[in-house]
Structure formats: C-alpha cells, structure tokens
Amino acid sequence: MVVKTELVLLPEQVANEQEYIFHLSKSCNVSQDSISGFNLLKRSIDARGKQPKYRLLFEVFINESFSEKKITHRDYKNISNAKPVLIAGCGPAGLFAAIRLIELGFKPILIERGKDVKNRRRDLAAINKQGIVNPESNYCFGEGGAGTYSDGKLYTRSDKRGNVQRILETFVEHGAEKNILIDAHPHIGTNKLPKIITSMREKIIACGGEILFNTKLVDILYDQNILKGIRVRDLINESEYNISSEALILATGHSARDIFELLQKKNILIEAKPFALGVRIEHPQTLIDRIQYHCDNRSEYLPPSSYSLVHNENDRGVYSFCMCPGGIIAPAATAPGEVVVNGWSPSKRNNPFANSGIVVGLNLVDFKPFQKSNKLAALHYQHSVETNAFEAGGKTLAAPAQRMMDFVNKKISADLPSNSYMPGVTSVLLDDVLPKIISAALRNGLKVFGKKMNGYLTNEAILVGVESRTSSPVRIPREKENCMHPQIKGLFPCGEGAGYAGGIVSAAMDGERCAEKAVKFLD
C-alpha cells in the first residue's frame, strides 16, 4: 500500500535517508524492511518554538514496488510555420506564454527591449560599479525580466489562478533543482536563474519560435478597435518597422513607463492602481538567525532564516516585502536621475546580510497632487519619490540611508554600518526623502516589529531608500472571461505590468492564461 504521513524532525535528523526510514516506520507502525521507498512531497521549517523543527510530508510505499515521483514534461511542438502570436516582454509572463503557445500549436514571436541574460550582465556591472543606467537593459529590463537578477523566489499564494506545479516542473525541466517542488518557500537564486532562462529560450527557438532582443515596442497598431500588429524599433540599427498579428500579449513589466504613456496617449483605457512604497532594511544575517531560531549560532542543518512582518497603521498596511536571507541590496533604477532599490539572494543565501523591503500601502487618494497626470498619477507619484532619493543621495546612484533607531528617533546617523549596496549609501534624514504618510507609518510600524521580533529594532540595521517598484502603479483593464482589453480586440494585457500578477510564479501562470485565451480568440 501507499500512504501519506507527516514527520516533525529536528534539523540534525534530516541529514540522511536512514533517519527518514527509521522515523517513517515508527509513524506508519511497520518494520523498516517493509518500506520499499518514499517520496518527500513537502518540506517546511517551523521556528515558532524554542527548538526549530522540520515538517515533512511523505508518500510511503509499504510492501509495494517503489515508484519515484517524476516531473511531467511539456508537449513541445514544431511550430515554425504555425500562426504567429506577438508577445511584448521576455519576463516570466512572456516566456511562459510562449511555451504554452508552442504546446497549443501557435508560433510565439517575443519582442524584448533588453538583451539576453549573458550580455545583460555588463549593463548590471555598469550600474553597480559606475552608476551608469542603461534605460533598455538593467535589473528590470532584459531576458527573464526583473526576477532573473532580483532573486528568483517562487512562492505564491495564487494557487487558484493556475497550475503552480506545472510552472515549477517547467523550471526543473530546464535545470532548476528538484527541491523547489517540495519546499514551502521555493527559491532558485539569482546565480542559477540565467542558465535556466537560457535553456527556456533555446527550447522556444528550437521549436520554431522567435525572440527579438534589443527590439522595443513603440506603437500598437489597430483599426476600428481591432489589433493589426505593432511597430518596433531595432535599438542596434535605430530603424523601425511593423510586425503584423491579430493577437498581442502585452507583458512588458511593472517598470515599462513608456508603454503606459503610449497607451494614455492613444486613449487606450488604463487605470491608476494603488501600490506600496518604502525602504529596504538590512540586518546582519546572524542577528536575524538569533532572533528567529532562538539560539546564538544557527545549526548547519538550518538555512539562513527569514521573516515576515505585518502591521496595520491607521488602515494602512506596513509589511515586509521580498525578504532576502543572505542577500544583497541591488540598484533597480530604469532611467538616469532616479534611485530605486531591490533585493536578491544567491542560491546558497550565504552573504552576511539579510534584507527585506518594508513598505507602506498607498491608496488612490494619495495621488491627488498628481491628478493632472490623469491615469498616470500613481506612476508620477512613484517617480517623484525616486527622483527625491537621487537628489538626496548626491545625484548619483548612492542611496539615501539611515540607521534604524536613528530613523525612529528622527536623528541623522553620524555614520552608517557596513552593507551590501554596491553603489554606496549617503547618510540623510529619510523624512526628507519619503512622503510624510510613508515615513510616519514606517516609524510606527518598526516600533511594532521591534516588539514582535525582540532585537529587530536596532541601530545595527540600515534603512536604504527607496523601495518603490513593489508592483505596477497602473492597471491595464481586461475582460474577466477572455483576458482581452475591453477596447481593442486581440490585445491581452498580461502579468505584473498590467496589474494581474505579483512575482515570478503568478506572472508565469498569467502568461499561460493569456496564451490560452489568445489561442481561443484566434481559433
């Protein structure tokens, strides 16, 4: 027979397979010899008590031939001569839309303003070391999208929006470790994602799909509200041309401000959308480990610890966002004259710092000072804070920063602690950078977090501004049933940039959904 059972084990007990067999036999009340094998289905860490424990869910084969759990491979077709579907954006939404189109027998043509993952690295080095931002190739734009070089977390609560397991198995099929299939908070790591994204690209091309790098969407072509194609600019040759198609999946990401401006200019319906804004906070990883694991030194069998914090401040959410154990704070600006920060971790999460966005939810009423911008009011609010940060940092990519207790006490920091932000930090009063509603909510939220996590509120921690690209400040509306824009037949707003996803997995699932709807529209 095959049974499912859960074990709760100490960290040192998960080190080898024989420990599993011993404890599984006890749990199932059978002899060890009767267990022919097992599949580990789920794994998580419970650190709520004084002693952290692993919670493990197993599928156990008792007196029955063992069958190893295998991933399901996709059915890739040769679609060289199939009907084309345009995809703008080569992030997770665009890539998974392309793969789903291939399965369904359609030819994806991906348009990407940025570079492939390999050549993109040079532009990231220029940002970190020289403070030079390439508006077309940076931490947000390029093959793989913002997720490729900003961590690769695969955790999502959006399991009702699509097939999470299929997304994870696709990553494994292209080189990700199988651990992402069982971990409660799966993570690939920025150092490993580029190879996986490259494999996905090679598969798309091998099947007959096309990917056009350094190619920027500059216009959407339609007649009598029916999509006819797009106009693009070749950024290498500085030439423009049209590509005809009856369907366009618009998956350009949360930072493609030129696309939002294009839509408003053409009177294609968009909406201002609430988002969250704040700072990125960095602690020594050892400090977070001591707090979360209730010990002076983390066990070698435990990963660097993380945290999740939430507080409601006058009906505004104050919460942690994109927490990166053993991570690095990265410069995520997409244009000169702005400072934006984000965080990422390598696969081993072995850097000495732990960072997390701590952000405050905004409402549409907060954007009233920018109401002349119409539906781009939230975008211009966001941009104004980023330019404030640029000015405060000395008109370079050096980020405005403050020690945590100094921020709470409204005191400028005499010096700043060692940190991971490569372009450097400048000591300022963050109240002079952030909107008052943000700094006030942050200050009170940090006091509460200090009570929830004893030791969290400390001057060993640094606040680095600004964390502003938490989600898109614009929503591109679409019909619920067919995922199509209500005005333009054949236009499918998709992913984070359209306001329908928040992270790699949810964006990938939305890409699949839009691909399926596009195929149904074309059939």
Side-chain angles (χ1 to χ4, degrees), residues 95-128:
L95 283 170
F96 276 84
I99 286 173
R100 188 70 182 122
L101 286 170
I102 290 171
E103 286 185 293
L104 297 171
F106 285 72
K107 179 178 180 175
I109 301 177
L110 288 112
I111 311 300
E112 172 55 54
R113 71 196 297 167
K115 302 176 183 177
D116 63 76
V117 287
K118 183 178 180 180
N119 288 307
R120 194 176 166 191
R121 288 177 183 157
R122 299 174 185 174
D123 297 309
L124 301 187
I127 293 172
N128 281 304

Side-chain angles (χ1 to χ4, degrees), residues 19 91 116 179 274 331 414:
E19 282 280 1
D116 63 76
N179 285 342

